[in-house]
PDB file of all heavy atoms in Angstrom:
ATOM      1  N   LEU A 210     -33.412   2.804   6.657  1.00 96.00           N
ATOM      2  CA  LEU A 210     -33.184   1.467   7.224  1.00 96.00           C
ATOM      3  C   LEU A 210     -34.333   1.035   8.122  1.00 96.00           C
ATOM      4  O   LEU A 210     -34.702  -0.143   8.146  1.00 96.00           O
ATOM      5  CB  LEU A 210     -31.867   1.452   8.012  1.00 96.00           C
ATOM      6  CG  LEU A 210     -30.585   1.626   7.182  1.00 96.00           C
ATOM      7  CD1 LEU A 210     -29.366   1.724   8.100  1.00 96.00           C
ATOM      8  CD2 LEU A 210     -30.406   0.502   6.177  1.00 96.00           C
ATOM      9  N   ASN A 211     -34.920   1.998   8.841  1.00 95.00           N
ATOM     10  CA  ASN A 211     -36.046   1.694   9.735  1.00 95.00           C
ATOM     11  C   ASN A 211     -37.279   1.196   8.979  1.00 95.00           C
ATOM     12  O   ASN A 211     -38.021   0.345   9.475  1.00 95.00           O
ATOM     13  CB  ASN A 211     -36.420   2.926  10.565  1.00 95.00           C
ATOM     14  CG  ASN A 211     -35.403   3.196  11.672  1.00 95.00           C
ATOM     15  OD1 ASN A 211     -34.690   2.297  12.106  1.00 95.00           O
ATOM     16  ND2 ASN A 211     -35.318   4.445  12.116  1.00 95.00           N
ATOM     17  N   ILE A 212     -37.474   1.746   7.779  1.00 95.00           N
ATOM     18  CA  ILE A 212     -38.638   1.314   6.992  1.00 95.00           C
ATOM     19  C   ILE A 212     -38.272   0.192   6.010  1.00 95.00           C
ATOM     20  O   ILE A 212     -39.058  -0.179   5.142  1.00 95.00           O
ATOM     21  CB  ILE A 212     -39.289   2.510   6.238  1.00 95.00           C
ATOM     22  CG1 ILE A 212     -38.279   3.195   5.313  1.00 95.00           C
ATOM     23  CG2 ILE A 212     -39.880   3.506   7.220  1.00 95.00           C
ATOM     24  CD1 ILE A 212     -38.856   4.274   4.421  1.00 95.00           C
ATOM     25  N   LYS A 213     -37.014  -0.283   6.158  1.00 96.00           N
ATOM     26  CA  LYS A 213     -36.526  -1.425   5.364  1.00 96.00           C
ATOM     27  C   LYS A 213     -36.614  -1.198   3.849  1.00 96.00           C
ATOM     28  O   LYS A 213     -37.082  -2.059   3.101  1.00 96.00           O
ATOM     29  CB  LYS A 213     -37.272  -2.705   5.762  1.00 96.00           C
ATOM     30  CG  LYS A 213     -37.001  -3.127   7.195  1.00 96.00           C
ATOM     31  CD  LYS A 213     -37.784  -4.373   7.554  1.00 96.00           C
ATOM     32  CE  LYS A 213     -37.364  -4.934   8.898  1.00 96.00           C
ATOM     33  NZ  LYS A 213     -37.417  -3.980  10.024  1.00 96.00           N
ATOM     34  N   LYS A 214     -36.131  -0.032   3.442  1.00 97.00           N
ATOM     35  CA  LYS A 214     -36.046   0.276   2.011  1.00 97.00           C
ATOM     36  C   LYS A 214     -34.588   0.166   1.551  1.00 97.00           C
ATOM     37  O   LYS A 214     -33.669   0.005   2.354  1.00 97.00           O
ATOM     38  CB  LYS A 214     -36.590   1.681   1.724  1.00 97.00           C
ATOM     39  CG  LYS A 214     -38.061   1.852   2.072  1.00 97.00           C
ATOM     40  CD  LYS A 214     -38.957   0.931   1.251  1.00 97.00           C
ATOM     41  CE  LYS A 214     -40.429   1.154   1.586  1.00 97.00           C
ATOM     42  NZ  LYS A 214     -41.312   0.265   0.812  1.00 97.00           N
ATOM     43  N   ASN A 215     -34.366   0.259   0.262  1.00 98.00           N
ATOM     44  CA  ASN A 215     -33.032   0.076  -0.323  1.00 98.00           C
ATOM     45  C   ASN A 215     -32.155   1.314  -0.155  1.00 98.00           C
ATOM     46  O   ASN A 215     -32.649   2.444  -0.182  1.00 98.00           O
ATOM     47  CB  ASN A 215     -33.158  -0.253  -1.810  1.00 98.00           C
ATOM     48  CG  ASN A 215     -33.907  -1.544  -2.047  1.00 98.00           C
ATOM     49  OD1 ASN A 215     -33.368  -2.627  -1.881  1.00 98.00           O
ATOM     50  ND2 ASN A 215     -35.178  -1.431  -2.417  1.00 98.00           N
ATOM     51  N   VAL A 216     -30.864   1.046  -0.034  1.00 98.00           N
ATOM     52  CA  VAL A 216     -29.878   2.134   0.114  1.00 98.00           C
ATOM     53  C   VAL A 216     -28.750   1.970  -0.896  1.00 98.00           C
ATOM     54  O   VAL A 216     -28.152   0.893  -1.008  1.00 98.00           O
ATOM     55  CB  VAL A 216     -29.279   2.163   1.539  1.00 98.00           C
ATOM     56  CG1 VAL A 216     -28.187   3.223   1.638  1.00 98.00           C
ATOM     57  CG2 VAL A 216     -30.357   2.414   2.579  1.00 98.00           C
ATOM     58  N   LEU A 217     -28.478   3.042  -1.622  1.00 98.00           N
ATOM     59  CA  LEU A 217     -27.304   3.142  -2.490  1.00 98.00           C
ATOM     60  C   LEU A 217     -26.431   4.233  -1.883  1.00 98.00           C
ATOM     61  O   LEU A 217     -26.861   5.377  -1.772  1.00 98.00           O
ATOM     62  CB  LEU A 217     -27.719   3.509  -3.922  1.00 98.00           C
ATOM     63  CG  LEU A 217     -26.608   3.915  -4.899  1.00 98.00           C
ATOM     64  CD1 LEU A 217     -25.583   2.804  -5.057  1.00 98.00           C
ATOM     65  CD2 LEU A 217     -27.196   4.279  -6.256  1.00 98.00           C
ATOM     66  N   MET A 218     -25.220   3.878  -1.487  1.00 98.00           N
ATOM     67  CA  MET A 218     -24.396   4.821  -0.747  1.00 98.00           C
ATOM     68  C   MET A 218     -23.037   5.056  -1.408  1.00 98.00           C
ATOM     69  O   MET A 218     -22.419   4.111  -1.905  1.00 98.00           O
ATOM     70  CB  MET A 218     -24.168   4.300   0.681  1.00 98.00           C
ATOM     71  CG  MET A 218     -23.457   5.278   1.603  1.00 98.00           C
ATOM     72  SD  MET A 218     -22.928   4.479   3.149  1.00 98.00           S
ATOM     73  CE  MET A 218     -24.509   4.007   3.829  1.00 98.00           C
ATOM     74  N   ILE A 219     -22.614   6.319  -1.413  1.00 98.00           N
ATOM     75  CA  ILE A 219     -21.255   6.655  -1.842  1.00 98.00           C
ATOM     76  C   ILE A 219     -20.371   6.533  -0.607  1.00 98.00           C
ATOM     77  O   ILE A 219     -20.602   7.212   0.396  1.00 98.00           O
ATOM     78  CB  ILE A 219     -21.169   8.073  -2.429  1.00 98.00           C
ATOM     79  CG1 ILE A 219     -22.131   8.222  -3.612  1.00 98.00           C
ATOM     80  CG2 ILE A 219     -19.735   8.379  -2.876  1.00 98.00           C
ATOM     81  CD1 ILE A 219     -22.274   9.645  -4.133  1.00 98.00           C
ATOM     82  N   CYS A 220     -19.402   5.654  -0.668  1.00 97.00           N
ATOM     83  CA  CYS A 220     -18.555   5.376   0.495  1.00 97.00           C
ATOM     84  C   CYS A 220     -17.111   5.797   0.269  1.00 97.00           C
ATOM     85  O   CYS A 220     -16.454   5.342  -0.670  1.00 97.00           O
ATOM     86  CB  CYS A 220     -18.574   3.888   0.824  1.00 97.00           C
ATOM     87  SG  CYS A 220     -20.139   3.302   1.480  1.00 97.00           S
ATOM     88  N   ASP A 221     -16.628   6.654   1.143  1.00 97.00           N
ATOM     89  CA  ASP A 221     -15.212   6.993   1.193  1.00 97.00           C
ATOM     90  C   ASP A 221     -14.539   5.976   2.109  1.00 97.00           C
ATOM     91  O   ASP A 221     -15.214   5.126   2.702  1.00 97.00           O
ATOM     92  CB  ASP A 221     -15.040   8.422   1.717  1.00 97.00           C
ATOM     93  CG  ASP A 221     -13.762   9.079   1.196  1.00 97.00           C
ATOM     94  OD1 ASP A 221     -12.775   8.353   0.972  1.00 97.00           O
ATOM     95  OD2 ASP A 221     -13.743  10.314   1.021  1.00 97.00           O
ATOM     96  N   THR A 222     -13.219   6.069   2.274  1.00 96.00           N
ATOM     97  CA  THR A 222     -12.514   5.079   3.098  1.00 96.00           C
ATOM     98  C   THR A 222     -12.925   5.145   4.567  1.00 96.00           C
ATOM     99  O   THR A 222     -12.729   4.185   5.311  1.00 96.00           O
ATOM    100  CB  THR A 222     -10.991   5.257   3.006  1.00 96.00           C
ATOM    101  OG1 THR A 222     -10.637   6.559   3.462  1.00 96.00           O
ATOM    102  CG2 THR A 222     -10.500   5.057   1.582  1.00 96.00           C
ATOM    103  N   ASN A 223     -13.513   6.278   5.012  1.00 96.00           N
ATOM    104  CA  ASN A 223     -13.909   6.426   6.420  1.00 96.00           C
ATOM    105  C   ASN A 223     -15.379   6.092   6.673  1.00 96.00           C
ATOM    106  O   ASN A 223     -15.900   6.344   7.747  1.00 96.00           O
ATOM    107  CB  ASN A 223     -13.621   7.852   6.907  1.00 96.00           C
ATOM    108  CG  ASN A 223     -14.509   8.886   6.233  1.00 96.00           C
ATOM    109  OD1 ASN A 223     -14.801   8.769   5.034  1.00 96.00           O
ATOM    110  ND2 ASN A 223     -14.954   9.884   6.966  1.00 96.00           N
ATOM    111  N   ASN A 224     -16.039   5.504   5.675  1.00 97.00           N
ATOM    112  CA  ASN A 224     -17.455   5.129   5.827  1.00 97.00           C
ATOM    113  C   ASN A 224     -17.618   3.639   6.105  1.00 97.00           C
ATOM    114  O   ASN A 224     -16.767   2.834   5.737  1.00 97.00           O
ATOM    115  CB  ASN A 224     -18.244   5.475   4.562  1.00 97.00           C
ATOM    116  CG  ASN A 224     -18.439   6.966   4.369  1.00 97.00           C
ATOM    117  OD1 ASN A 224     -18.066   7.518   3.336  1.00 97.00           O
ATOM    118  ND2 ASN A 224     -19.018   7.634   5.361  1.00 97.00           N
ATOM    119  N   PHE A 225     -18.747   3.307   6.746  1.00 96.00           N
ATOM    120  CA  PHE A 225     -19.136   1.917   6.947  1.00 96.00           C
ATOM    121  C   PHE A 225     -20.241   1.592   5.949  1.00 96.00           C
ATOM    122  O   PHE A 225     -21.158   2.388   5.755  1.00 96.00           O
ATOM    123  CB  PHE A 225     -19.642   1.696   8.380  1.00 96.00           C
ATOM    124  CG  PHE A 225     -18.580   1.823   9.426  1.00 96.00           C
ATOM    125  CD1 PHE A 225     -18.346   3.037  10.065  1.00 96.00           C
ATOM    126  CD2 PHE A 225     -17.805   0.725   9.773  1.00 96.00           C
ATOM    127  CE1 PHE A 225     -17.360   3.147  11.040  1.00 96.00           C
ATOM    128  CE2 PHE A 225     -16.819   0.826  10.747  1.00 96.00           C
ATOM    129  CZ  PHE A 225     -16.589   2.039  11.378  1.00 96.00           C
ATOM    130  N   SER A 226     -20.144   0.434   5.332  1.00 92.00           N
ATOM    131  CA  SER A 226     -21.116   0.094   4.275  1.00 92.00           C
ATOM    132  C   SER A 226     -22.151  -0.928   4.703  1.00 92.00           C
ATOM    133  O   SER A 226     -22.956  -1.375   3.887  1.00 92.00           O
ATOM    134  CB  SER A 226     -20.369  -0.432   3.046  1.00 92.00           C
ATOM    135  OG  SER A 226     -19.687  -1.629   3.373  1.00 92.00           O
ATOM    136  N   LYS A 227     -22.135  -1.323   5.957  1.00 84.00           N
ATOM    137  CA  LYS A 227     -23.072  -2.347   6.423  1.00 84.00           C
ATOM    138  C   LYS A 227     -24.524  -1.897   6.262  1.00 84.00           C
ATOM    139  O   LYS A 227     -24.836  -0.710   6.411  1.00 84.00           O
ATOM    140  CB  LYS A 227     -22.789  -2.692   7.885  1.00 84.00           C
ATOM    141  CG  LYS A 227     -21.505  -3.513   8.066  1.00 84.00           C
ATOM    142  CD  LYS A 227     -21.191  -3.751   9.521  1.00 84.00           C
ATOM    143  CE  LYS A 227     -19.873  -4.515   9.665  1.00 84.00           C
ATOM    144  NZ  LYS A 227     -19.494  -4.684  11.081  1.00 84.00           N
ATOM    145  N   LYS A 228     -25.369  -2.861   5.962  1.00 88.00           N
ATOM    146  CA  LYS A 228     -26.815  -2.668   5.790  1.00 88.00           C
ATOM    147  C   LYS A 228     -27.193  -1.929   4.506  1.00 88.00           C
ATOM    148  O   LYS A 228     -28.354  -1.632   4.283  1.00 88.00           O
ATOM    149  CB  LYS A 228     -27.422  -1.946   7.000  1.00 88.00           C
ATOM    150  CG  LYS A 228     -27.287  -2.735   8.302  1.00 88.00           C
ATOM    151  CD  LYS A 228     -27.939  -2.013   9.451  1.00 88.00           C
ATOM    152  CE  LYS A 228     -27.794  -2.790  10.753  1.00 88.00           C
ATOM    153  NZ  LYS A 228     -28.409  -2.086  11.890  1.00 88.00           N
ATOM    154  N   THR A 229     -26.209  -1.600   3.674  1.00 95.00           N
ATOM    155  CA  THR A 229     -26.520  -0.961   2.386  1.00 95.00           C
ATOM    156  C   THR A 229     -26.689  -2.046   1.327  1.00 95.00           C
ATOM    157  O   THR A 229     -26.119  -3.134   1.441  1.00 95.00           O
ATOM    158  CB  THR A 229     -25.408   0.008   1.942  1.00 95.00           C
ATOM    159  OG1 THR A 229     -24.180  -0.716   1.831  1.00 95.00           O
ATOM    160  CG2 THR A 229     -25.240   1.139   2.932  1.00 95.00           C
ATOM    161  N   ASP A 230     -27.461  -1.738   0.289  1.00 97.00           N
ATOM    162  CA  ASP A 230     -27.706  -2.718  -0.768  1.00 97.00           C
ATOM    163  C   ASP A 230     -26.678  -2.620  -1.894  1.00 97.00           C
ATOM    164  O   ASP A 230     -26.412  -3.602  -2.584  1.00 97.00           O
ATOM    165  CB  ASP A 230     -29.117  -2.500  -1.337  1.00 97.00           C
ATOM    166  CG  ASP A 230     -30.175  -2.696  -0.270  1.00 97.00           C
ATOM    167  OD1 ASP A 230     -30.530  -3.861  -0.002  1.00 97.00           O
ATOM    168  OD2 ASP A 230     -30.632  -1.695   0.324  1.00 97.00           O
ATOM    169  N   GLN A 231     -26.148  -1.427  -2.081  1.00 98.00           N
ATOM    170  CA  GLN A 231     -25.166  -1.223  -3.140  1.00 98.00           C
ATOM    171  C   GLN A 231     -24.303  -0.024  -2.774  1.00 98.00           C
ATOM    172  O   GLN A 231     -24.801   0.962  -2.237  1.00 98.00           O
ATOM    173  CB  GLN A 231     -25.859  -0.965  -4.490  1.00 98.00           C
ATOM    174  CG  GLN A 231     -24.913  -0.727  -5.651  1.00 98.00           C
ATOM    175  CD  GLN A 231     -24.045  -1.932  -5.985  1.00 98.00           C
ATOM    176  OE1 GLN A 231     -24.536  -3.054  -6.067  1.00 98.00           O
ATOM    177  NE2 GLN A 231     -22.750  -1.709  -6.146  1.00 98.00           N
ATOM    178  N   ILE A 232     -23.008  -0.125  -3.046  1.00 98.00           N
ATOM    179  CA  ILE A 232     -22.118   1.011  -2.749  1.00 98.00           C
ATOM    180  C   ILE A 232     -21.384   1.491  -3.991  1.00 98.00           C
ATOM    181  O   ILE A 232     -21.136   0.726  -4.920  1.00 98.00           O
ATOM    182  CB  ILE A 232     -21.095   0.672  -1.640  1.00 98.00           C
ATOM    183  CG1 ILE A 232     -20.145  -0.454  -2.099  1.00 98.00           C
ATOM    184  CG2 ILE A 232     -21.778   0.322  -0.336  1.00 98.00           C
ATOM    185  CD1 ILE A 232     -18.934  -0.648  -1.196  1.00 98.00           C
ATOM    186  N   ILE A 233     -21.054   2.784  -3.962  1.00 98.00           N
ATOM    187  CA  ILE A 233     -20.132   3.391  -4.922  1.00 98.00           C
ATOM    188  C   ILE A 233     -18.929   3.780  -4.078  1.00 98.00           C
ATOM    189  O   ILE A 233     -19.084   4.440  -3.048  1.00 98.00           O
ATOM    190  CB  ILE A 233     -20.733   4.653  -5.574  1.00 98.00           C
ATOM    191  CG1 ILE A 233     -21.953   4.287  -6.415  1.00 98.00           C
ATOM    192  CG2 ILE A 233     -19.697   5.382  -6.425  1.00 98.00           C
ATOM    193  CD1 ILE A 233     -22.760   5.492  -6.872  1.00 98.00           C
ATOM    194  N   ILE A 234     -17.738   3.348  -4.467  1.00 98.00           N
ATOM    195  CA  ILE A 234     -16.563   3.720  -3.685  1.00 98.00           C
ATOM    196  C   ILE A 234     -15.876   4.928  -4.322  1.00 98.00           C
ATOM    197  O   ILE A 234     -15.844   5.066  -5.536  1.00 98.00           O
ATOM    198  CB  ILE A 234     -15.573   2.545  -3.538  1.00 98.00           C
ATOM    199  CG1 ILE A 234     -15.090   2.060  -4.911  1.00 98.00           C
ATOM    200  CG2 ILE A 234     -16.207   1.412  -2.761  1.00 98.00           C
ATOM    201  CD1 ILE A 234     -13.947   1.055  -4.838  1.00 98.00           C
ATOM    202  N   GLY A 235     -15.361   5.812  -3.470  1.00 97.00           N
ATOM    203  CA  GLY A 235     -14.666   6.985  -3.986  1.00 97.00           C
ATOM    204  C   GLY A 235     -14.726   8.158  -3.019  1.00 97.00           C
ATOM    205  O   GLY A 235     -15.414   8.115  -1.995  1.00 97.00           O
ATOM    206  N   ASN A 236     -14.012   9.172  -3.366  1.00 97.00           N
ATOM    207  CA  ASN A 236     -13.954  10.418  -2.595  1.00 97.00           C
ATOM    208  C   ASN A 236     -15.328  11.093  -2.608  1.00 97.00           C
ATOM    209  O   ASN A 236     -15.805  11.515  -3.655  1.00 97.00           O
ATOM    210  CB  ASN A 236     -12.893  11.313  -3.241  1.00 97.00           C
ATOM    211  CG  ASN A 236     -12.690  12.625  -2.523  1.00 97.00           C
ATOM    212  OD1 ASN A 236     -13.497  13.029  -1.689  1.00 97.00           O
ATOM    213  ND2 ASN A 236     -11.611  13.312  -2.860  1.00 97.00           N
ATOM    214  N   ASN A 237     -15.981  11.197  -1.440  1.00 97.00           N
ATOM    215  CA  ASN A 237     -17.311  11.840  -1.383  1.00 97.00           C
ATOM    216  C   ASN A 237     -17.263  13.221  -0.725  1.00 97.00           C
ATOM    217  O   ASN A 237     -18.253  13.707  -0.216  1.00 97.00           O
ATOM    218  CB  ASN A 237     -18.332  10.933  -0.679  1.00 97.00           C
ATOM    219  CG  ASN A 237     -17.941  10.609   0.759  1.00 97.00           C
ATOM    220  OD1 ASN A 237     -17.002  11.179   1.311  1.00 97.00           O
ATOM    221  ND2 ASN A 237     -18.682   9.684   1.360  1.00 97.00           N
ATOM    222  N   LYS A 238     -16.080  13.844  -0.789  1.00 96.00           N
ATOM    223  CA  LYS A 238     -15.900  15.162  -0.165  1.00 96.00           C
ATOM    224  C   LYS A 238     -15.487  16.244  -1.153  1.00 96.00           C
ATOM    225  O   LYS A 238     -15.477  17.429  -0.817  1.00 96.00           O
ATOM    226  CB  LYS A 238     -14.861  15.058   0.963  1.00 96.00           C
ATOM    227  CG  LYS A 238     -15.312  14.099   2.070  1.00 96.00           C
ATOM    228  CD  LYS A 238     -14.159  13.662   2.955  1.00 96.00           C
ATOM    229  CE  LYS A 238     -14.643  12.644   3.973  1.00 96.00           C
ATOM    230  NZ  LYS A 238     -15.116  11.391   3.378  1.00 96.00           N
ATOM    231  N   SER A 239     -15.153  15.829  -2.358  1.00 96.00           N
ATOM    232  CA  SER A 239     -14.667  16.774  -3.378  1.00 96.00           C
ATOM    233  C   SER A 239     -15.735  17.053  -4.434  1.00 96.00           C
ATOM    234  O   SER A 239     -16.414  16.130  -4.894  1.00 96.00           O
ATOM    235  CB  SER A 239     -13.424  16.181  -4.045  1.00 96.00           C
ATOM    236  OG  SER A 239     -13.238  16.696  -5.338  1.00 96.00           O
ATOM    237  N   PRO A 240     -15.898  18.324  -4.850  1.00 96.00           N
ATOM    238  CA  PRO A 240     -16.887  18.635  -5.900  1.00 96.00           C
ATOM    239  C   PRO A 240     -16.566  17.963  -7.237  1.00 96.00           C
ATOM    240  O   PRO A 240     -17.471  17.555  -7.960  1.00 96.00           O
ATOM    241  CB  PRO A 240     -16.824  20.165  -6.013  1.00 96.00           C
ATOM    242  CG  PRO A 240     -15.561  20.578  -5.346  1.00 96.00           C
ATOM    243  CD  PRO A 240     -15.255  19.545  -4.323  1.00 96.00           C
ATOM    244  N   LYS A 241     -15.287  17.800  -7.530  1.00 97.00           N
ATOM    245  CA  LYS A 241     -14.895  17.146  -8.785  1.00 97.00           C
ATOM    246  C   LYS A 241     -15.249  15.660  -8.752  1.00 97.00           C
ATOM    247  O   LYS A 241     -15.782  15.113  -9.714  1.00 97.00           O
ATOM    248  CB  LYS A 241     -13.392  17.308  -9.024  1.00 97.00           C
ATOM    249  CG  LYS A 241     -12.985  18.692  -9.468  1.00 97.00           C
ATOM    250  CD  LYS A 241     -11.513  18.715  -9.826  1.00 97.00           C
ATOM    251  CE  LYS A 241     -11.095  20.088 -10.318  1.00 97.00           C
ATOM    252  NZ  LYS A 241      -9.676  20.113 -10.727  1.00 97.00           N
ATOM    253  N   SER A 242     -14.934  15.022  -7.625  1.00 97.00           N
ATOM    254  CA  SER A 242     -15.213  13.598  -7.481  1.00 97.00           C
ATOM    255  C   SER A 242     -16.718  13.315  -7.496  1.00 97.00           C
ATOM    256  O   SER A 242     -17.198  12.437  -8.214  1.00 97.00           O
ATOM    257  CB  SER A 242     -14.596  13.086  -6.181  1.00 97.00           C
ATOM    258  OG  SER A 242     -14.923  11.744  -5.976  1.00 97.00           O
ATOM    259  N   LEU A 243     -17.477  14.090  -6.718  1.00 98.00           N
ATOM    260  CA  LEU A 243     -18.940  13.920  -6.704  1.00 98.00           C
ATOM    261  C   LEU A 243     -19.537  14.266  -8.066  1.00 98.00           C
ATOM    262  O   LEU A 243     -20.509  13.649  -8.507  1.00 98.00           O
ATOM    263  CB  LEU A 243     -19.560  14.792  -5.610  1.00 98.00           C
ATOM    264  CG  LEU A 243     -19.278  14.323  -4.166  1.00 98.00           C
ATOM    265  CD1 LEU A 243     -19.746  15.365  -3.167  1.00 98.00           C
ATOM    266  CD2 LEU A 243     -19.956  12.981  -3.891  1.00 98.00           C
ATOM    267  N   GLY A 244     -18.926  15.223  -8.733  1.00 97.00           N
ATOM    268  CA  GLY A 244     -19.382  15.601 -10.079  1.00 97.00           C
ATOM    269  C   GLY A 244     -19.271  14.446 -11.052  1.00 97.00           C
ATOM    270  O   GLY A 244     -20.194  14.166 -11.818  1.00 97.00           O
TER     271      GLY A 244
END
Side-chain angles (χ1 to χ4, degrees):
L210 293 175
N211 286 337
I212 58 174
K213 295 179 171 54
K214 298 298 182 180
N215 298 283
V216 176
L217 169 59
M218 187 192 297
I219 302 171
C220 290
D221 207 329
T222 60
N223 68 322
N224 289 124
F225 292 93
S226 63
K227 287 176 183 176
K228 298 182 181 179
T229 59
D230 299 278
Q231 179 64 46
I232 64 168
I233 295 169
I234 59 171
N236 182 346
N237 60 9
K238 298 163 184 64
S239 155
K241 285 186 178 182
S242 176
L243 289 171

